[in-house]
Coordinates of all heavy atoms in Angstrom, one line a residue:
F1 N 19.3 -6.7 13.8 CA 18.1 -6.0 13.8 C 17.3 -6.5 12.6 O 17.6 -6.1 11.5 CB 18.3 -4.5 13.9 CG 18.8 -4.0 15.1 CD1 20.1 -3.4 15.1 CD2 18.2 -4.1 16.3 CE1 20.6 -2.8 16.3 CE2 18.7 -3.6 17.5 CZ 20.0 -3.0 17.5
V2 N 16.3 -7.3 12.8 CA 15.4 -7.7 11.7 C 14.3 -6.7 11.5 O 13.5 -6.5 12.4 CB 14.8 -9.1 12.0 CG1 14.0 -9.6 10.9 CG2 15.9 -10.1 12.3
V3 N 14.4 -6.0 10.4 CA 13.6 -4.8 10.2 C 12.4 -5.1 9.3 O 12.5 -5.8 8.2 CB 14.4 -3.7 9.5 CG1 13.6 -2.4 9.5 CG2 15.7 -3.5 10.3
T4 N 11.2 -4.7 9.7 CA 10.0 -4.8 8.9 C 9.1 -3.6 9.2 O 9.4 -2.8 10.1 CB 9.2 -6.1 9.2 OG1 8.2 -6.2 8.2 CG2 8.6 -6.1 10.6
S5 N 8.2 -3.3 8.3 CA 7.4 -2.1 8.4 C 5.9 -2.4 8.9 O 5.4 -3.5 8.7 CB 7.3 -1.4 7.1 OG 8.6 -1.0 6.7
C6 N 5.3 -1.4 9.5 CA 3.9 -1.5 9.8 C 3.0 -1.2 8.6 O 2.3 -0.2 8.6 CB 3.6 -0.6 11.0 SG 4.5 -1.0 12.5
N7 N 3.1 -2.1 7.7 CA 2.3 -2.0 6.4 C 2.3 -3.3 5.7 O 2.5 -4.4 6.4 CB 2.9 -0.9 5.5 CG 4.4 -1.1 5.2 OD1 4.9 -2.3 5.2 ND2 5.1 -0.1 4.9
N8 N 2.1 -3.4 4.4 CA 1.9 -4.7 3.7 C 3.2 -5.5 3.7 O 3.2 -6.7 3.3 CB 1.5 -4.4 2.3 CG 0.0 -3.9 2.2 OD1 -0.7 -4.1 3.2 ND2 -0.3 -3.2 1.2
D9 N 4.4 -4.9 4.0 CA 5.6 -5.6 4.1 C 5.6 -6.7 5.2 O 6.3 -7.7 5.1 CB 6.8 -4.7 4.2 CG 8.1 -5.4 4.3 OD1 8.7 -5.9 3.3 OD2 8.6 -5.6 5.5
F10 N 4.9 -6.4 6.3 CA 4.9 -7.3 7.5 C 4.5 -8.7 7.1 O 3.4 -8.9 6.6 CB 4.0 -6.7 8.5 CG 4.1 -7.4 9.8 CD1 5.1 -7.1 10.8 CD2 3.3 -8.5 10.1 CE1 5.1 -7.8 12.0 CE2 3.4 -9.2 11.3 CZ 4.3 -8.8 12.2
N11 N 5.4 -9.7 7.4 CA 5.1 -11.0 7.2 C 5.7 -11.9 8.2 O 7.0 -12.0 8.3 CB 5.6 -11.4 5.7 CG 5.3 -12.7 5.3 OD1 5.8 -13.7 5.8 ND2 4.5 -12.9 4.3
V12 N 4.9 -12.6 9.0 CA 5.4 -13.4 10.1 C 6.4 -14.5 9.6 O 7.5 -14.8 10.1 CB 4.3 -14.0 10.9 CG1 4.8 -15.1 11.9 CG2 3.5 -13.0 11.6
A13 N 6.0 -15.2 8.5 CA 6.8 -16.3 8.0 C 8.2 -15.8 7.6 O 9.2 -16.5 7.8 CB 6.1 -17.0 6.8
R14 N 8.3 -14.6 7.0 CA 9.6 -14.1 6.6 C 10.4 -13.7 7.8 O 11.6 -14.0 7.8 CB 9.4 -12.8 5.7 CG 10.7 -12.4 5.0 CD 10.6 -11.0 4.4 NE 9.6 -11.0 3.4 CZ 8.6 -10.1 3.5 NH1 8.5 -9.2 4.5 NH2 7.6 -10.1 2.6
L15 N 9.8 -13.1 8.8 CA 10.5 -12.8 10.0 C 11.1 -14.1 10.6 O 12.2 -14.0 11.1 CB 9.5 -12.1 11.0 CG 9.1 -10.7 10.7 CD1 8.1 -10.2 11.7 CD2 10.3 -9.7 10.6
E16 N 10.3 -15.1 10.6 CA 10.8 -16.4 11.2 C 12.0 -16.9 10.5 O 12.9 -17.5 11.1 CB 9.7 -17.4 11.2 CG 8.6 -17.1 12.2 CD 7.4 -18.0 12.1 OE1 7.2 -18.6 11.0 OE2 6.6 -18.1 13.1
R17 N 12.1 -16.7 9.2 CA 13.3 -17.1 8.5 C 14.6 -16.4 9.0 O 15.6 -16.9 9.2 CB 13.1 -16.9 7.0 CG 12.2 -17.9 6.3 CD 12.0 -17.6 4.8 NE 11.2 -18.6 4.2 CZ 11.6 -19.7 3.7 NH1 12.9 -20.0 3.7 NH2 10.8 -20.5 3.1
Y18 N 14.4 -15.0 9.0 CA 15.5 -14.2 9.5 C 15.9 -14.6 10.9 O 17.1 -14.7 11.2 CB 15.2 -12.7 9.4 CG 15.3 -12.1 8.1 CD1 14.1 -11.7 7.3 CD2 16.5 -11.9 7.5 CE1 14.2 -11.1 6.1 CE2 16.5 -11.3 6.2 CZ 15.4 -10.9 5.5 OH 15.5 -10.4 4.2
L19 N 14.9 -14.8 11.8 CA 15.3 -15.1 13.2 C 15.9 -16.5 13.3 O 16.8 -16.6 14.1 CB 13.9 -15.1 14.0 CG 13.3 -13.7 14.1 CD1 12.0 -13.8 14.9 CD2 14.2 -12.7 14.8
A20 N 15.5 -17.4 12.5 CA 16.1 -18.8 12.5 C 17.6 -18.6 12.1 O 18.5 -19.3 12.7 CB 15.4 -19.7 11.6
L21 N 17.9 -17.8 11.1 CA 19.3 -17.6 10.7 C 20.1 -17.0 11.8 O 21.2 -17.3 12.1 CB 19.3 -16.6 9.5 CG 19.0 -17.2 8.1 CD1 19.2 -16.1 7.1 CD2 20.0 -18.3 7.8
A22 N 19.5 -16.0 12.6 CA 20.2 -15.3 13.6 C 20.5 -16.3 14.8 O 21.6 -16.3 15.3 CB 19.3 -14.1 14.2
F23 N 19.5 -17.1 15.2 CA 19.7 -18.1 16.2 C 20.8 -19.1 15.8 O 21.7 -19.5 16.6 CB 18.4 -18.8 16.5 CG 17.4 -18.1 17.4 CD1 16.1 -17.9 17.1 CD2 17.9 -17.5 18.6 CE1 15.3 -17.2 17.9 CE2 17.1 -16.9 19.5 CZ 15.7 -16.7 19.1
E24 N 20.8 -19.6 14.5 CA 21.8 -20.5 14.0 C 23.1 -19.8 14.1 O 24.1 -20.5 14.4 CB 21.4 -21.0 12.6 CG 22.4 -22.0 12.0 CD 22.3 -23.3 12.7 OE1 21.2 -23.7 13.2 OE2 23.3 -24.0 12.8
A25 N 23.2 -18.5 13.8 CA 24.5 -17.9 13.7 C 25.0 -17.5 15.1 O 26.1 -17.0 15.3 CB 24.4 -16.6 12.9
D26 N 24.2 -17.8 16.1 CA 24.6 -17.4 17.5 C 24.6 -15.9 17.7 O 25.6 -15.3 18.4 CB 25.8 -18.1 18.0 CG 26.0 -18.1 19.5 OD1 25.0 -18.0 20.2 OD2 27.1 -18.2 19.9
V27 N 23.7 -15.2 17.1 CA 23.6 -13.7 17.1 C 22.3 -13.3 17.8 O 21.3 -14.0 17.6 CB 23.6 -13.1 15.7 CG1 23.3 -11.6 15.7 CG2 24.9 -13.4 15.0
T28 N 22.3 -12.3 18.7 CA 21.2 -11.8 19.4 C 20.2 -11.1 18.3 O 20.6 -10.1 17.7 CB 21.5 -10.8 20.4 OG1 22.4 -11.4 21.4 CG2 20.3 -10.3 21.1
P29 N 19.0 -11.6 18.1 CA 18.1 -11.0 17.2 C 17.1 -10.0 17.9 O 16.7 -10.2 19.0 CB 17.3 -12.2 16.6 CG 17.2 -13.1 17.7 CD 18.4 -12.9 18.6
V30 N 16.8 -8.9 17.2 CA 15.8 -8.0 17.7 C 14.9 -7.6 16.5 O 15.4 -7.3 15.4 CB 16.5 -6.7 18.3 CG1 15.4 -5.7 18.7 CG2 17.4 -7.0 19.4
I31 N 13.6 -7.6 16.7 CA 12.7 -7.2 15.7 C 12.4 -5.7 15.7 O 12.1 -5.2 16.8 CB 11.3 -8.0 15.7 CG1 11.5 -9.5 15.5 CG2 10.3 -7.4 14.7 CD1 10.3 -10.3 15.7
L32 N 12.6 -5.0 14.6 CA 12.3 -3.6 14.6 C 11.1 -3.3 13.7 O 11.1 -3.7 12.5 CB 13.5 -2.8 14.0 CG 14.8 -2.8 14.8 CD1 15.9 -1.9 14.2 CD2 14.7 -2.6 16.3
L33 N 10.1 -2.7 14.2 CA 8.9 -2.3 13.4 C 9.0 -0.8 13.1 O 8.9 0.0 14.0 CB 7.7 -2.6 14.2 CG 7.4 -4.1 14.7 CD1 6.1 -4.2 15.5 CD2 7.3 -4.9 13.4
T34 N 9.2 -0.6 11.8 CA 9.4 0.8 11.4 C 8.1 1.4 10.8 O 7.1 0.7 10.6 CB 10.5 0.9 10.3 OG1 10.2 0.1 9.2 CG2 11.9 0.4 10.9
K35 N 8.2 2.7 10.4 CA 7.1 3.4 9.8 C 5.9 3.5 10.7 O 4.8 3.5 10.3 CB 6.7 2.8 8.4 CG 7.9 2.7 7.5 CD 7.5 2.4 6.1 CE 8.7 2.1 5.2 NZ 9.6 3.2 5.0
A36 N 6.2 3.5 12.0 CA 5.1 3.6 13.0 C 4.3 4.9 12.9 O 3.1 4.9 13.2 CB 5.7 3.5 14.4
D37 N 5.0 5.9 12.4 CA 4.4 7.2 12.3 C 3.3 7.2 11.1 O 2.5 8.1 11.1 CB 5.4 8.3 12.0 CG 6.3 7.9 10.8 OD1 6.8 6.8 10.8 OD2 6.6 8.8 10.0
L38 N 3.4 6.2 10.3 CA 2.5 6.2 9.1 C 1.3 5.1 9.3 O 0.6 4.9 8.4 CB 3.3 5.8 7.9 CG 4.4 6.7 7.5 CD1 5.1 6.2 6.2 CD2 3.9 8.2 7.3

């Protein structure tokens, strides 16, 4: 679960790094967007 927030932390380039690691590791990746209530 690649976790990021719905605020200034959100960064597409950083998410892509984590997802590339997951694909390389042969692990199922899922993006979680947190702090939706804020």
Side-chain angles (χ1 to χ4, degrees):
F1 292 117
V2 181
V3 188
T4 187
S5 303
C6 296
N7 55 27
N8 292 336
D9 176 82
F10 186 90
N11 184 291
V12 170
R14 188 192 307 124
L15 288 175
E16 288 172 341
R17 287 179 177 272
Y18 280 110
L19 295 176
L21 280 182
F23 279 128
E24 183 67 30
D26 199 23
V27 172
T28 300
V30 179
I31 296 176
L32 300 188
L33 299 177
T34 62
K35 306 188 189 298
D37 54 313
L38 304 177

